[in-house]
Short mmCIF file of all heavy atoms in Angstrom, two decimals:
data_model
loop_
_atom_site.label_atom_id
_atom_site.label_comp_id
_atom_site.label_asym_id
_atom_site.label_seq_id
_atom_site.Cartn_x
_atom_site.Cartn_y
_atom_site.Cartn_z
N GLY X 1377 5.25 -14.04 4.86
CA GLY X 1377 6.54 -14.72 4.77
C GLY X 1377 7.42 -14.37 3.59
O GLY X 1377 8.46 -14.99 3.40
N CYS X 1388 -0.77 -16.07 -9.57
CA CYS X 1388 -2.16 -15.59 -9.61
C CYS X 1388 -2.34 -14.49 -10.66
O CYS X 1388 -3.35 -14.44 -11.35
CB CYS X 1388 -2.59 -15.05 -8.25
SG CYS X 1388 -2.79 -16.34 -7.02
N ARG X 1413 -24.27 -1.75 -15.62
CA ARG X 1413 -25.27 -2.05 -16.63
C ARG X 1413 -24.78 -3.04 -17.67
O ARG X 1413 -25.56 -3.60 -18.43
CB ARG X 1413 -25.65 -0.75 -17.36
CG ARG X 1413 -26.93 -0.12 -16.81
CD ARG X 1413 -27.39 1.05 -17.66
NE ARG X 1413 -26.46 1.43 -18.70
CZ ARG X 1413 -26.73 1.38 -20.01
NH1 ARG X 1413 -27.88 0.98 -20.44
NH2 ARG X 1413 -25.82 1.76 -20.89
N TYR X 1415 -23.68 -6.10 -17.76
CA TYR X 1415 -24.24 -7.45 -17.81
C TYR X 1415 -25.69 -7.41 -18.27
O TYR X 1415 -26.15 -8.28 -19.00
CB TYR X 1415 -24.14 -8.13 -16.45
CG TYR X 1415 -22.72 -8.52 -16.09
CD1 TYR X 1415 -21.91 -7.65 -15.37
CD2 TYR X 1415 -22.19 -9.74 -16.46
CE1 TYR X 1415 -20.61 -7.98 -15.04
CE2 TYR X 1415 -20.89 -10.10 -16.13
CZ TYR X 1415 -20.11 -9.22 -15.42
OH TYR X 1415 -18.82 -9.56 -15.09
N TYR X 1442 -9.96 2.86 1.19
CA TYR X 1442 -8.78 3.24 0.40
C TYR X 1442 -8.51 4.75 0.55
O TYR X 1442 -7.37 5.19 0.60
CB TYR X 1442 -9.07 2.89 -1.05
CG TYR X 1442 -7.89 2.85 -2.00
CD1 TYR X 1442 -7.23 1.65 -2.27
CD2 TYR X 1442 -7.46 3.99 -2.65
CE1 TYR X 1442 -6.18 1.60 -3.16
CE2 TYR X 1442 -6.40 3.95 -3.54
CZ TYR X 1442 -5.77 2.75 -3.79
OH TYR X 1442 -4.73 2.70 -4.67
N ALA X 1457 7.26 17.86 3.92
CA ALA X 1457 7.49 19.22 3.44
C ALA X 1457 7.82 20.18 4.57
O ALA X 1457 8.54 21.16 4.38
CB ALA X 1457 6.27 19.73 2.69
N THR X 1458 7.32 19.90 5.77
CA THR X 1458 7.58 20.82 6.88
C THR X 1458 8.73 20.34 7.75
O THR X 1458 8.89 20.75 8.90
CB THR X 1458 6.32 21.00 7.76
OG1 THR X 1458 5.88 19.69 8.17
CG2 THR X 1458 5.20 21.69 7.03
N SER X 1462 13.07 15.14 9.88
CA SER X 1462 14.51 15.30 10.08
C SER X 1462 14.89 14.97 11.52
O SER X 1462 14.22 15.34 12.48
CB SER X 1462 14.97 16.70 9.70
OG SER X 1462 14.40 17.62 10.59
N PHE X 1490 -8.77 14.44 0.51
CA PHE X 1490 -8.53 13.51 -0.59
C PHE X 1490 -9.81 13.19 -1.35
O PHE X 1490 -9.82 13.14 -2.58
CB PHE X 1490 -7.88 12.21 -0.08
CG PHE X 1490 -7.14 11.51 -1.17
CD1 PHE X 1490 -5.80 11.77 -1.38
CD2 PHE X 1490 -7.79 10.65 -2.03
CE1 PHE X 1490 -5.11 11.18 -2.42
CE2 PHE X 1490 -7.11 10.06 -3.08
CZ PHE X 1490 -5.77 10.31 -3.27
N LYS X 1508 -4.99 12.74 -18.70
CA LYS X 1508 -3.88 13.69 -18.54
C LYS X 1508 -3.05 13.39 -17.31
O LYS X 1508 -1.84 13.33 -17.38
CB LYS X 1508 -4.44 15.11 -18.44
CG LYS X 1508 -4.18 15.94 -19.67
CD LYS X 1508 -4.55 17.39 -19.37
CE LYS X 1508 -5.33 17.98 -20.52
NZ LYS X 1508 -6.23 19.04 -20.10
N VAL X 1519 10.35 6.06 -11.97
CA VAL X 1519 11.77 6.42 -11.87
C VAL X 1519 12.16 6.62 -10.41
O VAL X 1519 13.20 6.13 -9.95
CB VAL X 1519 12.05 7.71 -12.68
CG1 VAL X 1519 13.46 8.21 -12.44
CG2 VAL X 1519 11.81 7.45 -14.16
N GLY X 1559 -6.04 -12.55 -3.42
CA GLY X 1559 -6.70 -11.27 -3.14
C GLY X 1559 -5.83 -10.11 -3.58
O GLY X 1559 -6.31 -9.15 -4.19
N LEU X 1594 2.15 -6.15 -16.60
CA LEU X 1594 3.60 -6.05 -16.39
C LEU X 1594 3.97 -4.79 -15.62
O LEU X 1594 4.77 -4.83 -14.69
CB LEU X 1594 4.33 -6.07 -17.75
CG LEU X 1594 4.43 -7.44 -18.40
CD1 LEU X 1594 5.14 -7.35 -19.74
CD2 LEU X 1594 5.17 -8.43 -17.49
N SER X 1600 5.06 -3.27 -8.04
CA SER X 1600 4.96 -3.97 -6.75
C SER X 1600 6.30 -4.55 -6.32
O SER X 1600 6.71 -4.40 -5.17
CB SER X 1600 3.95 -5.12 -6.84
OG SER X 1600 2.65 -4.61 -6.95
N ILE X 1607 11.10 -1.48 0.33
CA ILE X 1607 10.67 -1.61 1.73
C ILE X 1607 11.48 -2.63 2.53
O ILE X 1607 11.95 -2.33 3.63
CB ILE X 1607 9.18 -2.02 1.79
CG1 ILE X 1607 8.30 -0.97 1.12
CG2 ILE X 1607 8.73 -2.24 3.23
CD1 ILE X 1607 8.35 0.38 1.76
N LYS X 1677 -27.88 4.31 -14.88
CA LYS X 1677 -29.03 3.51 -14.46
C LYS X 1677 -30.21 4.40 -14.03
O LYS X 1677 -31.34 4.13 -14.35
CB LYS X 1677 -28.59 2.60 -13.30
CG LYS X 1677 -29.72 1.86 -12.63
CD LYS X 1677 -29.70 0.39 -12.96
CE LYS X 1677 -30.90 -0.30 -12.34
NZ LYS X 1677 -31.42 -1.39 -13.11
N LEU X 1688 -23.28 12.23 -4.53
CA LEU X 1688 -23.86 11.19 -3.68
C LEU X 1688 -22.80 10.16 -3.29
O LEU X 1688 -22.65 9.80 -2.12
CB LEU X 1688 -25.00 10.50 -4.45
CG LEU X 1688 -25.95 9.67 -3.62
CD1 LEU X 1688 -26.68 10.57 -2.64
CD2 LEU X 1688 -26.95 8.96 -4.54
N GLY X 1697 -15.45 5.93 5.06
CA GLY X 1697 -14.07 6.28 5.40
C GLY X 1697 -13.95 6.74 6.85
O GLY X 1697 -13.00 6.36 7.55
N SER X 1708 -11.59 1.20 18.12
CA SER X 1708 -10.92 -0.07 17.82
C SER X 1708 -11.53 -1.24 18.59
O SER X 1708 -11.24 -2.40 18.29
CB SER X 1708 -9.43 0.03 18.10
OG SER X 1708 -9.23 0.31 19.46
N LEU X 1724 -12.91 -8.41 3.49
CA LEU X 1724 -14.13 -8.76 2.76
C LEU X 1724 -14.03 -8.40 1.28
O LEU X 1724 -14.38 -9.19 0.40
CB LEU X 1724 -15.32 -8.03 3.39
CG LEU X 1724 -16.66 -8.24 2.70
CD1 LEU X 1724 -17.15 -9.66 2.93
CD2 LEU X 1724 -17.71 -7.24 3.20
N ASN X 1746 -21.70 -15.07 -26.21
CA ASN X 1746 -21.60 -15.63 -27.55
C ASN X 1746 -20.13 -15.71 -28.00
O ASN X 1746 -19.39 -14.73 -27.92
CB ASN X 1746 -22.40 -14.69 -28.48
CG ASN X 1746 -22.45 -15.21 -29.90
OD1 ASN X 1746 -21.50 -15.83 -30.39
ND2 ASN X 1746 -23.57 -14.96 -30.55
N ARG X 1751 -14.51 -13.75 -29.76
CA ARG X 1751 -13.46 -13.80 -30.77
C ARG X 1751 -13.29 -12.44 -31.46
O ARG X 1751 -12.18 -11.95 -31.64
CB ARG X 1751 -13.79 -14.89 -31.80
CG ARG X 1751 -12.64 -15.18 -32.74
CD ARG X 1751 -12.93 -16.39 -33.60
NE ARG X 1751 -12.14 -17.56 -33.26
CZ ARG X 1751 -10.81 -17.62 -33.34
NH1 ARG X 1751 -10.11 -16.58 -33.68
NH2 ARG X 1751 -10.16 -18.73 -33.05
N VAL X 1775 -9.90 -23.32 -15.58
CA VAL X 1775 -8.84 -23.08 -14.59
C VAL X 1775 -9.26 -22.04 -13.56
O VAL X 1775 -9.15 -22.25 -12.35
CB VAL X 1775 -7.53 -22.64 -15.29
CG1 VAL X 1775 -6.43 -22.41 -14.25
CG2 VAL X 1775 -7.10 -23.68 -16.31
#
Side-chain angles (χ1 to χ4, degrees):
C1388 290
R1413 263 188 352 118
Y1415 288 92
Y1442 195 95
T1458 54
S1462 66
F1490 203 91
K1508 252 190 224 152
V1519 172
L1594 284 179
S1600 290
I1607 300 298
K1677 171 108 184 147
L1688 196 64
S1708 61
L1724 177 71
N1746 184 326
R1751 190 172 251 298
V1775 181

